[in-house]
Amino acid sequence: MISNGKPDSNGVPGGARFCVFCGSTDGLTREHVFGDWLSRIGLDLAPVVYRAGPLNRIGRDLGVAREPFRQTVRDVCGRCNGGWMSRLENVAKTVLTPLILGDSGFIEPPEQGAIAAWVQKTALVAMLVSTEDERAHGYGLPLSEYREMYAHREALEPVPATKIWIGRYNGQVHRNSVRVVPQVVIQRGSRDPDVPQGYAMTVVLGELLLHGVRITAPGLQLNLSTPHDLQDLWPANGRISWPADTHVDDASFLGLSKGKELRMTDPHVEIHPWKVATDLADSKAVGSMVELPVICGKHVVYYPSILVEEAIRGRFYVFMISCGCGKAYLVQTEDDGAHCKAAGTPESIDELYEVLPGEEYLHKDEYGSFFYKAINMP
């Protein structure tokens, strides 16, 4: 799944017919989000459904199921595609193939810049999967990011103020995916700015996980601690041996890929996802119920306000609820509100809910019966 953030107003325009990297209007070609070499190294090629879309919405299907690594975009010229981008893909193919397959290998310091640049290039290209309407409303990444990467293309390194980590993925749900989440850097206690100041990027291929952050606002320092004990990839810091000791499972992946595990070393400064792109509109009280917008973007659902009162006391719950689209959602209350954890058919969400541990409760009022389960927060 490819998930888009919403940047400032200088994003790539919808329907752009120029190379987003160099600006050329000649010879636009089809550029793969993931290099097609990945289809020839022994990964599972069973047909998959491609999805993309804003972070706070249900992923948009990109057509019928087909082989992995076939998604392309038409926003890159032949010179970029066959030049510096191809050089990055060649380094990635040589160095990353054994790591993706879970075999032993190394990344030497001279190769680490090119691999980090490949991660950034992959994230930038993935954001071009946005529809024209999504781009017209600001989703994606700023055009300046593409031009900045083009300006640094000969160095075969990511643009300045970028940090990349590497780890091993042992989950099953998020293989072969790209996620980009806009970030803000603020003094603790301050309100979020009107535009993001950077973005987190996560690329998963087979058993390889690459996670990074780029700070786009001038003057902000990239003083970050390592999330989830991942190894430093960039800036280069010695030879990297593989397999990595740190494993990221599906449960850990969610917080990591959402950019929630990034930490500034300065205790007075924090970095977190830009809520405009990641959060839905605020819930509101309606009588004894709470009205909650859901990720279809069209409907609201309702749950008892007693769960808000419980959350204030540090007691949290999970429940299943459906909207007018016929979709069902698994919703969990947390200290900062109620959050959708899964979406799907009523049958699939009911199965998820039923296997969850925790005592089940029943709330009855004039609106009917409402079931929910207690959860233990970490």
Side-chain angles (χ1 to χ4, degrees):
M1 183 176 69
I2 305 162
S3 295
N4 296 7
K6 184 176 182 181
D8 57 32
S9 59
N10 297 317
V12 178
R17 288 299 175 261
F18 55 83
C19 177
V20 294
F21 288 99
C22 72
S24 172
T25 58
D26 297 328
L28 293 183
T29 60
R30 289 286 180 183
E31 164 69 1
H32 285 81
V33 173
F34 284 128
D36 59 1
W37 56 269
L38 287 158
S39 65
R40 301 189 295 272
I41 64 172
L43 291 172
D44 183 6
L45 297 181
V48 296
V49 175
Y50 291 74
R51 290 187 176 90
L55 293 162
N56 56 4
R57 294 288 185 267
I58 296 173
R60 168 174 49 84
D61 286 352
L62 299 178
V64 297
R66 49 203 165 101
E67 282 188 4
F69 317 117
R70 297 302 184 196
Q71 185 63 44
T72 61
V73 298
R74 193 174 175 79
D75 300 272
V76 180
C77 71
R79 186 170 58 181
C80 284
N81 195 346
W84 63 273
M85 298 173 81
S86 179
R87 292 197 293 274
L88 289 179
E89 292 291 345
N90 287 335
V91 176
K93 176 183 177 181
T94 301
V95 176
L96 297 184
T97 293
L99 283 61
I100 292 168
L101 298 176
D103 298 331
S104 59
F106 302 95
I107 307 180
E108 302 292 351
E111 301 164 334
Q112 291 171 24
I115 297 302
W118 175 83
V119 174
Q120 194 162 51
K121 186 271 296 183
T122 300
L124 291 175
V125 172
M127 294 302 97
L128 298 173
V129 179
S130 303
T131 65
E132 292 187 9
D133 181 66
E134 287 168 346
R135 291 197 210 176
H137 287 83
Y139 288 92
L141 285 171
L143 182 59
S144 57
E145 277 301 286
Y146 297 85
R147 300 299 167 81
E148 182 84 1
M149 184 152 205
Y150 180 75
H152 288 83
R153 66 193 183 282
E154 297 301 332
L156 294 185
E157 295 177 355
V159 300
T162 298
K163 190 167 180 60
I164 306 287
W165 300 275
I166 184 171
R168 191 171 189 178
Y169 177 70
N170 64 351
Q172 298 295 325
V173 178
H174 303 284
R175 290 178 182 268
N176 311 329
S177 64
V178 183
R179 182 180 288 259
V180 174
V181 183
Q183 300 285 309
V184 295
V185 181
I186 60 172
Q187 293 288 328
R188 290 196 180 276
S190 302
R191 67 179 294 271
D192 281 9
D194 294 332
V195 295
Q197 297 152 308
Y199 55 93
M201 52 196 136
T202 308
V203 175
V204 176
L205 286 166
E207 296 192 24
L208 176 66
L209 181 145
L210 296 150
H211 181 65
V213 64
R214 149 81 168 145
I215 300 299
T216 56
L220 289 179
Q221 298 298 311
L222 192 65
N223 297 322
L224 293 163
S225 59
T226 302
H228 204 75
D229 296 326
L230 301 178
Q231 295 183 73
D232 291 341
L233 174 69
W234 183 259
N237 187 26
R239 184 191 224 195
I240 293 174
S241 299
W242 191 266
D245 293 331
T246 301
H247 293 257
V248 178
D249 58 19
D250 285 325
S252 301
F253 176 86
L254 290 176
L256 183 76
S257 66
K258 290 179 180 179
K260 291 186 174 182
E261 292 195 14
L262 295 170
R263 298 287 184 272
M264 303 295 287
T265 54
D266 183 343
H268 303 293
V269 180
E270 66 178 64
I271 181 171
H272 62 245
W274 190 49
K275 295 178 181 178
V276 173
T278 60
D279 292 6
L280 295 167
D282 290 340
S283 302
K284 61 182 180 181
V286 179
S288 63
M289 305 293 284
V290 175
E291 182 182 276
L292 174 70
V294 286
I295 57 177
C296 70
K298 303 174 183 178
H299 300 101
V300 295
V301 296
Y302 297 88
Y303 66 93
S305 59
I306 60 166
L307 298 188
V308 176
E309 298 166 8
E310 287 285 280
I312 293 172
R313 298 181 177 91
R315 296 192 286 266
F316 305 103
Y317 301 88
V318 63
F319 55 88
M320 172 185 167
I321 203 160
S322 300
C323 77
C325 294
K327 293 187 179 294
Y329 309 93
L330 192 68
V331 179
Q332 180 176 309
T333 59
E334 299 176 14
D335 54 7
D336 61 347
H339 299 273
C340 180
K341 297 298 182 180
T345 64
E347 294 78 14
S348 64
I349 299 302
D350 182 61
E351 289 179 5
L352 288 176
Y353 175 79
E354 289 299 327
V355 300
L356 290 173
E359 184 176 354
E360 186 173 57
Y361 296 88
L362 170 62
H363 173 77
K364 287 187 176 182
D365 58 19
E366 68 271 25
Y367 299 105
S369 300
F370 191 91
F371 292 91
Y372 55 99
K373 286 184 178 180
I375 58 173
N376 296 318
M377 297 293 287

